[in-house]
Amino acid sequence: AVSLAPSVIEQASAYRYYVDKAAAISPAFVDGQMVAEGLKVAASYEPKQFLKGAIAYGAIVALQDPTFVAGVRQYAGAAAQRQQIAYEIMKDPAYVVGLPGSSSGAGAVIAALGEDGNKFYQAGKTVKQAAYDVQKQSWSKADVVGRDARLSQAKLLGSTPAAGDLAQTTRLQQAIAGAQPLGVTGTSAAPPFTPAVIRSLAVAALAVLGEASEPNVATLNAIMVEPNVASCANMAKLNLYQCLAVSKPHYEDVFCLGQHAMMDTARCVIKASGQPEPFEPRFVPTVRENASYKPTPAKKPATKKPAKKG
């Protein structure tokens, strides 16, 4: 039977809960408290755990793909063969790409993580646009009270691993057991795959082979470490902290929330999936640019007067 360590499911649950909640942040801000609550939600992830959770969730998605599961299950019959395949995957996660059905499983993971990242990114764009829109409201131009405290809170939330949501954990457990499918589908994809997708497939394959239970959790955690995307998430956090350090009025906090807490983080998830990254001019402002940031409505393009005849 397919089995996955409860602690790995917990990480997937924490990722799923964060993405769903953060992508639902409304851009319809009416006061500073609402902005502060949005920042609290979007800052509530620890980068290493977040990326491990994304890979763990990707593994559960791969387990929803019958072609992938059937392909790996061919090697699950004889104990010696099963252990040898599991050993090769633990030694080099990329070994999983050569197993039957890997292209189908990868397609599902790419679709799931890509959908998460793009949905989150678009939500961040609407929040970032609100930094311009809310200036019509007087409260947005007032300075944030307790600026140092809200920066310290963001740093604390960014260094504290989150617990998985009980409802999400139960849902993922049922999906692994086949009782409640996630409903995520994707088209078969051809390699090369990103390291995050490969590692998701590796964890899923070990689950099919019966080698992903709690006694092997240290190995699973090592497989779920992906330095490149982890660096991306760390940079998103650093940009957020720098932005909050120089931000004063509420509308500047809205900008920090939309651009760095949401769009930057979402971009890392899209990068992990291997889907094309969205292009935004001047994507990551420097500290100096943040310090002088004064969003103003875009000017209407000048119209050229027609030349006089004669």
Side-chain angles (χ1 to χ4, degrees), residues 104-116:
S104 183
V109 177
I110 292 168
L113 295 183
E115 181 181 357
D116 282 348

Side-chain angles (χ1 to χ4, degrees), residues 2-250:
V2 174
S3 62
L4 190 58
S7 59
V8 175
I9 300 174
E10 279 281 324
Q11 294 189 68
S13 172
Y15 162 81
R16 182 77 267 146
Y17 180 72
Y18 169 80
V19 170
D20 289 345
K21 197 170 181 180
I25 294 174
S26 171
F29 300 105
V30 296
D31 54 33
Q33 181 61 34
M34 190 174 175
V35 177
E37 288 299 323
L39 275 169
K40 183 178 178 180
V41 170
S44 297
Y45 74 88
E46 192 279 321
K48 290 181 180 179
Q49 184 202 30
F50 177 69
L51 270 302
K52 282 185 178 180
I55 291 172
Y57 177 69
I60 296 174
V61 168
L63 291 174
Q64 306 299 292
D65 184 76
T67 303
F68 173 73
V69 173
V72 177
R73 191 163 271 158
Q74 296 177 32
Y75 304 96
Q81 185 181 44
R82 181 176 68 250
Q83 292 169 1
Q84 180 61 35
I85 296 296
Y87 170 76
E88 295 295 343
I89 294 173
M90 293 176 187
K91 185 173 67 173
D92 179 11
Y95 183 87
V96 74
V97 177
L99 298 182
S102 62
S103 294
S104 183
V109 177
I110 292 168
L113 295 183
E115 181 181 357
D116 282 348
N118 282 293
K119 181 179 178 180
F120 192 12
Y121 189 86
Q122 292 304 317
K125 283 187 70 174
T126 63
V127 170
K128 179 181 175 182
Q129 178 59 41
Y132 299 82
D133 299 336
V134 297
Q135 289 182 79
K136 301 172 184 177
Q137 305 171 33
S138 59
W139 65 265
S140 71
K141 300 175 184 178
D143 284 356
V144 176
V145 177
R147 292 174 54 237
D148 292 341
R150 68 97 160 75
L151 175 58
S152 297
Q153 182 189 47
K155 290 182 177 180
L156 178 62
L157 291 170
S159 60
T160 306
D165 176 67
L166 179 59
Q168 288 285 1
T169 301
T170 302
R171 176 171 173 258
L172 295 176
Q173 289 172 334
Q174 291 177 340
I176 294 171
Q180 185 180 343
L182 295 177
V184 179
T185 58
T187 58
S188 183
F193 307 127
T194 66
V197 171
I198 290 173
R199 290 170 186 274
S200 290
L201 293 178
V203 173
L206 291 174
V208 175
L209 296 170
E211 299 292 340
S213 57
E214 204 64 39
N216 287 336
V217 74
T219 300
L220 298 176
N221 280 328
I223 290 174
M224 292 189 293
V225 173
E226 208 292 272
N228 291 329
V229 182
S231 175
C232 177
N234 285 326
M235 184 58 67
K237 285 288 188 183
L238 178 60
N239 288 330
L240 173 62
Y241 301 153
Q242 290 179 337
C243 188
L244 292 177
V246 298
S247 172
K248 291 183 178 180
H250 292 293

